Amino acid sequence: MCYRVRFEREAERGTSEWVQGRLVTPRDDRFRFAWTGDTAGQGFGRNPEWGGMRGYAAMRDARPAFFLHSGDLIYADNPILPEQTLPDGRVWRNVSNERVARVAESLADFRARFAYNLEDEHVAALAAEVPILAQWDDHETHNNWLPGQVLEDDRYRTERRASVLSALARRAMVEWTPVPPGPVHRVVHYGPLLDVIVLDCRSFRTANDANRGDTGAMLGAAQAAWFVNAVAGSRARWKIIACDQPVGLVIGDGPNNSRNEGWANGDGPPLGRERELAGILAALADRRVENLVWLTADVHYAAAHHYDSLRATGARFAPFWEFVAGPIHAGTFGPNTLDPTFGPEVRFQWAPTPGQSNLPPWDGLQSFGTIDVTRDALSVALYGIDGGERYRVELPHA
């Protein structure tokens, strides 16, 4: 389907130029979609000398029916400076401007971050042809932010209340991406084959701590109940869980990583936020939910994890897969420690070698994934932004 669109402004300002695009709508019998996360992080912005945000061109070449952006749509807390000198002496050169060269504190700053990414030719070309299903993670506001938190970050001169900053980020996100003005968590239907259940792991979480107590929440009670009902009530052939936090990877926070940012907290039975997740998985097992796959980004490397209660510690659930992609244009890190609580097994990972971290996009570890959806199977693949396939697995319908 092709389209042409322009914006009409007040009379004295005239109208915009016509812009053309095309869309491929999902078919009832088969279609492909792509996912990844993490755009313009760690100060790696638009570098014309390198060819811009080339990962978006690679995703466009894959011809997906839609693109799931799994969070960190922007990095509001990472200034994009004209130059960044890397540890090996190479210099990464960005297109920069006054607003993106500092942390975002005002609505205009947050708007400028979304505008900056769309000014990349590859991001714009993808957006003209591929519908975007967006969710947020932390960097739309600030690294590892929490509701009610007051940031201990001297770069913020006018506003340090995370809930105020996140409200500004949320408004800018609704204005610049196709996110509805209501809750971030929602179900998006793609015909009889697929439902995408989008989670919000930021707005309702408890504080990051050692995460080993009797209580703790990532989703909060209301969203957790909604999630179980949404998945169990889905009549689609396949259920994709779009979760902006990995299930089993330990993600440190605070001094010496003494706190935990994610679900995972290390070895042992479900504790802290893991108790919420264990309850969700048990409820889904009780309602005999099958054919679901979890997709995420966040940790800046690609991986495939298989979870099985036969390998787990004190948790009951049906086996499932989790696939991790990204970053699409940011520094690469990892791999993270895999928490054994829910019986994960690494089937694939593609990350920097030990001792390396925050590698620039041109070092070749940027990634995205695709899923080919059919009635009988999901074919899941992970790619580098050179278009080369790094991993593939086919998951038959139960």
Side-chain angles (χ1 to χ4, degrees), residues 350-372:
W350 189 39
T353 59
Q356 294 182 317
S357 67
N358 198 19
L359 299 182
W362 58 32
D363 276 5
L365 288 175
Q366 312 287 287
S367 65
F368 67 96
T370 65
I371 295 188
D372 289 292

Side-chain angles (χ1 to χ4, degrees), residues 3-326:
Y3 67 88
R4 193 169 67 137
V5 64
R6 72 177 179 181
F7 290 96
E8 294 187 359
R9 305 184 179 95
E10 53 271 31
E12 64 271 19
R13 295 181 61 193
T15 59
S16 68
E17 295 181 358
W18 286 103
V19 176
Q20 299 183 32
R22 63 186 182 187
L23 297 174
V24 178
T25 56
R27 295 169 37 171
D28 286 345
D29 60 340
R30 64 178 60 244
F31 59 90
R32 167 182 291 177
F33 73 92
W35 94 95
T36 190
D38 315 308
T39 302
Q42 289 70 54
F44 296 111
R46 291 164 27 220
N47 182 344
E49 295 178 0
W50 188 64
M53 296 185 181
R54 291 159 50 172
Y56 280 82
M59 279 196 293
R60 181 186 176 211
D61 288 343
R63 301 300 300 271
F66 68 92
F67 163 44
L68 168 63
H69 198 309
S70 299
D72 292 343
L73 305 164
I74 60 170
Y75 278 70
D77 57 333
N78 285 192
I80 299 173
L81 303 176
E83 291 188 353
Q84 182 175 184
T85 301
L86 307 179
D88 62 6
R90 291 178 295 172
V91 178
W92 178 275
R93 294 182 174 85
N94 291 310
V95 174
S96 184
N97 62 56
E98 177 187 2
R99 291 200 179 275
V100 303
R102 62 180 184 238
V103 297
E105 297 183 76
S106 69
L107 180 58
D109 290 342
F110 286 102
R111 287 169 169 164
R113 289 289 181 148
F114 285 97
Y116 178 88
N117 290 354
L118 276 168
E119 288 165 358
D120 177 84
E121 61 177 320
H122 306 307
V123 175
L126 181 79
E129 298 182 3
V130 180
I132 297 173
L133 174 55
Q135 66 185 137
W136 71 352
D137 191 23
D138 54 341
H139 286 284
E140 287 81 5
T141 302
H142 186 276
N143 185 45
N144 298 353
W145 75 272
L146 303 163
Q149 179 184 19
V150 177
L151 303 179
E152 297 179 2
D153 189 332
D154 291 338
R155 298 176 302 168
Y156 289 77
R157 304 292 181 86
T158 62
E159 184 58 73
R160 294 193 182 187
R161 291 170 295 174
S163 293
V164 173
L165 292 168
S166 68
L168 298 174
R170 180 79 172 87
R171 178 174 172 182
M173 182 172 69
V174 169
E175 293 173 348
W176 283 89
T177 63
V179 173
V184 173
H185 59 282
R186 60 203 188 275
V187 181
V188 182
H189 306 285
Y190 290 96
L193 287 185
L194 182 68
D195 279 350
V196 180
I197 295 89
V198 181
L199 298 180
D200 178 1
C201 294
R202 303 306 323 175
S203 301
F204 310 106
R205 59 165 56 209
T206 54
N208 292 347
D209 55 20
N211 195 26
R212 300 190 68 84
D214 293 333
T215 61
M218 178 71 75
L219 304 181
Q223 186 183 185
W226 167 88
F227 175 37
V228 171
N229 289 330
V231 177
S234 170
R235 300 177 67 180
R237 188 79 170 168
W238 299 96
K239 293 88 174 167
I240 292 294
I241 313 304
C243 185
D244 48 292
Q245 293 273 272
V247 169
L249 293 174
V250 178
I251 305 170
D253 180 39
N256 301 315
N257 288 328
S258 58
R259 301 191 291 263
N260 284 295
E261 155 75 357
W263 303 92
N265 57 25
D267 202 355
L271 295 170
R273 293 183 183 132
E274 291 177 332
R275 294 172 67 90
E276 177 187 67
L277 179 58
I280 289 169
L281 295 177
L284 293 177
D286 288 342
R287 296 176 71 169
R288 299 186 179 181
V289 174
E290 296 180 307
N291 303 308
L292 58 84
V293 170
W294 294 62
L295 299 183
T296 191
D298 183 64
V299 289
H300 293 229
Y301 70 95
H305 304 141
H306 182 262
Y307 293 81
D308 195 322
S309 62
L310 295 178
R311 299 187 295 261
T313 306
R316 177 176 57 85
F317 55 91
F320 65 93
W321 284 81
E322 173 188 56
F323 297 97
V324 187

